[in-house]
Amino acid sequence: QKEVEQNSGPLSVPEGAIASLNCTYSDRGSQSFFWYRQYSGKSPELIMFIYSNGDKEDGRFTAQLNKASQYVSLLIRDSQPSDSATYLCAVTGGSYIPTFGRGTSLIVHP
Amino acid sequence: DVKVTQSSRYLVKRTGEKVFLECVQDMDHENMFWYRQDPGLGLRLIYFSYDVKMKEKGDIPEGYSVSREKKERFSLILESASTNQTSMYLCASAGANEQFFGPGTRLTVL
């Protein structure tokens, strides 16, 4: 059974700080890693994907992947109240079917 | 700019009714998915399809069936709705390194 684990939170950070969200996965054959943002009452929205070890930056977001340690993280710099949402980690292996974590709730307070 | 649409945002049905949820994507993706999302349980895969007329069971297929007669359309059918099928239903369409969700259908079974 492939598993993706996330701390449910909530993770509370002040506005302007760096929010760090973490995800671990059990399947060593995992190949692609995704971060989704889900606002309350809305559907998930893909914000980043990564498939190589190291960092990938997109604006205020940085995804970090460490396959040896089987974790992937998402850093949000200069956090804004509008970043308050649940962040879902998803992992795919040889198949195209993603396994989702249950999400981490992020609260950015002014 | 709409990529994945679902037939209804909110739906109220009675126990025992047959329910159809429809999903349409405009990205020419081969892979489509139906999930349900419940508080504390995260996203759970009901069925997926990797081609027209092809379908595979996900983690919780009991009580559901699907139909994919055309590439762009994937339908979820509740043969006889029950109260424990009250949930948010999310359709998704996936290509390489991307998965887009529809807006979701919040189904209430009375």
Side-chain angles (χ1 to χ4, degrees):
Chain A
Q1 180 79 5
K2 300 176 184 177
E3 293 184 348
V4 176
E5 299 288 341
Q6 295 181 256
N7 189 318
S8 63
L11 173 66
S12 182
V13 301
E15 184 174 357
I18 295 175
S20 177
L21 304 160
N22 299 311
C23 170
T24 60
Y25 59 93
S26 63
D27 183 7
R28 283 197 171 275
S30 299
Q31 298 176 359
S32 299
F33 308 84
F34 304 83
W35 282 101
Y36 292 81
R37 177 177 60 202
Q38 185 173 24
Y39 292 114
S40 179
K42 302 293 186 182
S43 59
E45 171 193 13
L46 179 66
I47 53 175
M48 287 201 73
F49 73 89
I50 186 169
Y51 53 84
S52 299
N53 272 330
D55 296 358
K56 180 180 179 182
E57 188 174 317
D58 183 1
R60 296 187 296 112
F61 298 98
T62 299
Q64 299 176 317
L65 175 61
N66 184 323
K67 289 188 176 180
S69 299
Q70 294 178 242
Y71 82 78
V72 56
S73 61
L74 179 70
L75 302 179
I76 306 175
R77 290 182 300 281
D78 189 24
S79 296
Q80 301 297 310
S82 59
D83 295 325
S84 298
T86 295
Y87 289 80
L88 303 173
C89 172
V91 175
T92 60
S95 77
Y96 50 84
I97 304 166
T99 300
F100 283 87
R102 295 189 179 185
T104 297
S105 174
L106 173 66
I107 299 171
V108 181
H109 54 86
Chain B
D1 190 41
V2 175
K3 296 180 173 65
V4 182
T5 58
Q6 294 184 227
S7 51
S8 305
R9 291 300 306 275
Y10 299 94
L11 208 52
V12 179
K13 295 292 182 181
R14 296 204 174 274
T15 301
E17 282 192 82
K18 192 169 186 176
V19 182
F20 293 88
L21 302 181
E22 292 202 320
C23 174
V24 177
Q25 54 100 357
D26 65 0
M27 294 166 286
D28 202 35
H29 285 158
E30 292 181 344
N31 306 316
M32 296 186 74
F33 306 79
W34 275 106
Y35 297 90
R36 61 178 285 179
Q37 188 175 36
D38 301 286
L41 297 178
L43 280 165
R44 292 183 291 169
L45 181 63
I46 304 171
Y47 266 98
F48 62 95
S49 170
Y50 52 90
D51 202 351
V52 174
K53 297 189 185 293
M54 305 304 288
K55 59 187 179 184
E56 294 287 342
K57 294 179 180 180
D59 300 320
I60 52 164
E62 298 77 19
Y64 303 95
S65 62
V66 290
S67 172
R68 191 156 180 212
E69 297 296 320
K70 294 184 178 181
K71 190 175 186 179
E72 67 271 19
R73 190 179 299 270
F74 191 34
S75 301
L76 180 69
I77 303 148
L78 287 67
E79 297 291 342
S80 178
S82 63
T83 55
N84 63 12
Q85 293 179 310
T86 292
S87 185
M88 170 68 87
Y89 289 88
L90 291 162
C91 173
S93 170
N97 292 323
E98 63 180 13
Q99 185 178 52
F100 294 98
F101 284 85
T105 296
R106 185 164 294 282
L107 172 67
T108 300
V109 183
L110 302 176

